[in-house]
Amino acid sequence: MSQTATLEVNGNKYEFPIIKGSEQELAIDIKALRGATGGVTTIDPGYKNTGSCQSAITFLNGEEGILRYRGYSIEDLAEKADFLEVAYALIFGDLPTKEQLEKFNNDIKAEAHVDEDVKRILDGFPKSAHPMGVLSSLTSALIAFNPSSVNVDSEEDMYQAIVKIMAKFPVLTAWAHRKRMGMPLDYGDDSLGYVENFLKMMFKKPNQEYKKNDIIINAIDKLLILHADHEQNCSTSTVRIVGSSHAGLFASISAGISALWGPLHGGANQAVIEMLEAIKEDGGDTKKYMGKAKDKADPFRLMGFGHRVYKNFDPRAKIIKVAADEVLGDLGIVDPVLDIAKGLEQEALLDQYFVDRKLYPNVDFYSGIIYRALGIPTEMFTPMFALGRLPGWIAQWREMRLRKEPIGRPRQIYIGETFREFKNLNDR
Ligand code: SDX
């Protein structure tokens, strides 16, 4: 197989190296393109065909529906690991030993407090503020309380910043929820596990004992694992490009939260439930909504369907769909929108429009149904996605900085006005 690609521009031929990844993926390395061709660049809106980096963290095969974190299959991790183990593997490169996991857990517990002054910032938000906006702001505000930027050349400094954000993010997420609910903030309990403590901070009523529910703890732990990383998605690319200017870890993650909020990305889990509710209100007429999704004149899209990379079933959607049946069954909940979702999926899988475009359910299609069954309000679905994606963002930021990647600064093709003389105000 040729190790180079040949490009011909204006009658001149140029050769560029082809690089091959550990899973035999090929990419044309065009680092030298502009210099070699006297200014010719490439253009690829949405970067559908363009790799931004080489990474050792997560592998996706969209055609076959494969997802692996650090070489471990998502199916194995979701079934056999817990969220902190997976977070450790994503960030530091492999599953932790018992000692490493215990230290990671204890170091996170030691940092699981948030400066009381952060409450004053939280108080400034109206109850109606969307928790993703609150979370992005509070995460950015953490910089003010932890001003020293991460010295990436110091393993210890990097580790301390990582455990800080892993510890404080669940507190901020729970506080954003309690603010909306008009509930007093809860400080957690470091005798509890990571996920159990988060759920206590979210739901414990001030006048009641906190009662743990293993079904809910296990379901949330699995959902966080399934959301933990997904290579160079929109929000992760945001974290990497903000971090490439050597902005700090907390600032980069704050930017990632804002990118995830969009309904085409992490905001889709909230949009799916709103769509399913609308269909239910509309008498369950899924055919009408399938028609809207296919009508180019209608901006409506079937939320939770389609994916930039997966042109087969999103493996996470398969796992979440099974978990939805299990969790609702275990909790004795009958949610009509689950049946509507399954009906939509069946129709779409047989519909030529969706088949031709390889549109399958993605991670967001069923996740909201479980969150809702677990008592999580719709506006908190995307913050839950962010809580799961946090270790992935950290891992990708750390890899980008340790590999000393250059500042991200894409080129463009200018299509505006060519030179024109200035006109004085009276002459315009
Ligand atoms: C996530 O990147 C990641 O890995 C993201 C993520 C992660 O873990 O980080 O997996 C999480 O963001 C999942 C995606 C959640 N978003 C949604 O569910 C929103 C609905 N889906 C779409 O908007 C869309 O499918 C995207 C945004 C997910 C992907 O869009 P692309 O890759 O840019 O594809 P496209 O918009 O060019 O669509 C190709 C065709 C178009 O039709 P034609 O112009 O070819 O006729 O498919 C159509 C689109 O109109 N299409 C849809 C559709 N998704 C694509 N038509 C109806 N309903 C849809 N959902």
Side-chain angles (χ1 to χ4, degrees):
M1 201 265 320
S2 161
Q3 301 305 315
T4 60
T6 305
L7 186 64
E8 184 167 343
V9 179
N10 299 334
N12 300 314
K13 286 193 178 176
Y14 304 89
E15 298 238 316
F16 298 97
I18 290 179
I19 58 171
K20 187 192 298 191
S22 49
E23 287 287 348
Q24 313 313 310
E25 297 165 305
L26 300 178
I28 302 169
D29 179 343
I30 56 166
K31 274 201 292 293
L33 172 67
R34 195 168 188 281
T37 58
V40 175
T41 61
T42 62
I43 193 154
D44 183 20
Y47 313 111
K48 294 191 177 187
N49 305 281
T50 301
S52 60
C53 62
Q54 297 182 64
S55 177
I57 299 170
T58 290
F59 171 67
L60 297 191
N61 178 316
E63 283 65 35
E64 294 175 35
I66 293 172
L67 171 57
R68 297 192 199 119
Y69 299 159
R70 297 289 188 185
Y72 299 103
S73 78
I74 193 64
E75 292 81 5
D76 274 351
L77 293 170
E79 190 193 325
K80 299 169 186 167
D82 74 20
F83 179 58
L84 271 198
E85 281 180 286
V86 171
Y88 188 98
L90 283 168
I91 296 168
F92 300 110
D94 200 352
L95 289 167
T97 62
K98 222 181 268 174
E99 296 71 26
Q100 289 168 330
L101 183 59
E102 191 178 347
K103 180 179 187 312
F104 192 46
N105 201 4
N106 291 336
D107 292 340
I108 287 172
K109 288 177 189 280
E111 284 292 344
H113 57 275
V114 171
D115 193 296
E116 280 292 289
D117 286 347
V118 170
K119 287 167 70 172
R120 268 188 262 289
I121 302 169
L122 187 59
D123 287 344
F125 288 98
K127 271 208 188 77
S128 58
H130 194 288
M132 283 298 274
V134 175
L135 198 48
S136 178
S137 308
L138 295 184
T139 302
S140 194
L142 281 182
I143 306 162
F145 298 93
N146 303 276
S148 56
S149 68
V150 182
N151 169 10
V152 294
D153 297 325
S154 150
E155 269 298 316
E156 183 49 30
D157 208 46
M158 178 85 90
Y159 180 80
Q160 285 310 320
I162 288 167
V163 291
K164 272 198 178 103
I165 189 74
M166 282 295 295
K168 301 178 193 304
F169 199 78
V171 181
L172 299 179
T173 306
W175 282 12
H177 167 63
R178 293 181 82 99
K179 162 81 187 181
R180 283 177 56 78
M181 297 294 118
M183 295 265 279
L185 303 181
D186 184 289
Y187 288 83
D189 173 350
D190 73 2
S191 70
L192 305 178
Y194 191 81
V195 171
E196 186 182 358
N197 189 36
F198 168 68
L199 290 168
K200 184 234 183 227
M201 290 189 284
M202 282 277 285
F203 296 118
K204 182 185 178 300
K205 295 212 173 14
N207 59 339
Q208 288 174 5
E209 272 308 299
Y210 169 68
K211 289 192 196 65
K212 73 183 269 188
N213 178 323
D214 286 334
I215 295 168
I216 296 178
I217 292 166
N218 295 335
I220 293 291
D221 195 284
K222 181 178 282 195
L223 283 164
L224 295 179
I225 290 172
L226 293 170
H227 286 83
D229 194 53
H230 216 239
E231 54 132 279
Q232 304 312 316
N233 60 85
C234 179
S235 54
T236 298
S237 298
T238 303
V239 170
R240 284 183 85 120
I241 202 164
V242 170
S244 73
S245 73
H246 290 192
L249 175 60
F250 298 174
S252 306
I253 286 173
S254 172
I257 296 168
S258 298
L260 186 71
W261 191 359
L264 293 188
H265 188 16
N269 56 19
Q270 174 175 341
V272 166
I273 285 293
E274 290 162 353
M275 172 187 76
L276 294 173
E277 282 293 346
I279 294 174
K280 187 180 81 173
E281 292 314 306
D282 209 354
D285 183 359
T286 51
K287 289 213 178 325
K288 172 180 164 188
Y289 286 82
M290 289 287 286
K292 283 168 63 68
K294 296 186 284 185
D295 177 359
K296 291 300 168 199
D298 189 330
F300 175 81
R301 285 198 154 184
L302 204 59
M303 301 313 276
F305 259 79
H307 198 278
R308 174 59 60 75
V309 174
Y310 289 124
K311 301 309 171 191
N312 195 325
F313 249 92
D314 181 334
R316 302 167 298 176
K318 280 188 195 170
I319 296 168
I320 293 175
K321 181 181 175 183
V322 170
D325 278 327
E326 287 168 355
V327 170
L328 271 68
D330 291 345
L331 295 174
I333 292 171
V334 177
D335 187 346
V337 300
L338 178 56
D339 293 333
I340 293 174
K342 288 179 178 175
L344 266 181
E345 177 188 335
Q346 281 318 308
E347 282 182 51
L349 295 182
L350 299 171
D351 183 290
Q352 212 48 52
Y353 173 95
F354 285 79
V355 170
D356 291 347
R357 292 164 180 79
K358 298 187 169 63
L359 302 176
Y360 291 88
N362 59 51
V363 67
D364 293 310
F365 190 59
Y366 287 105
S367 54
I369 292 167
I370 299 186
Y371 287 141
R372 187 156 85 158
L374 302 178
I376 292 170
T378 307
E379 283 75 17
M380 283 302 292
F381 289 3
T382 311
M384 291 302 296
F385 192 143
L387 182 63
R389 186 53 51 90
L390 178 65
W393 286 334
I394 294 169
Q396 299 272 351
W397 186 94
R398 180 174 180 272
E399 179 181 74
M400 176 274 301
R401 288 304 307 274
L402 293 182
R403 286 172 58 96
K404 302 195 183 317
E405 302 275 347
I407 185 168
R409 199 273 184 224
R411 304 303 301 247
Q412 64 163 25
I413 291 296
Y414 176 72
I415 54 171
E417 296 285 342
T418 54
F419 177 77
R420 48 185 175 167
E421 292 295 340
F422 182 80
K423 286 197 196 85
N424 292 322
L425 185 57
N426 298 330
D427 301 334
R428 289 174 207 156

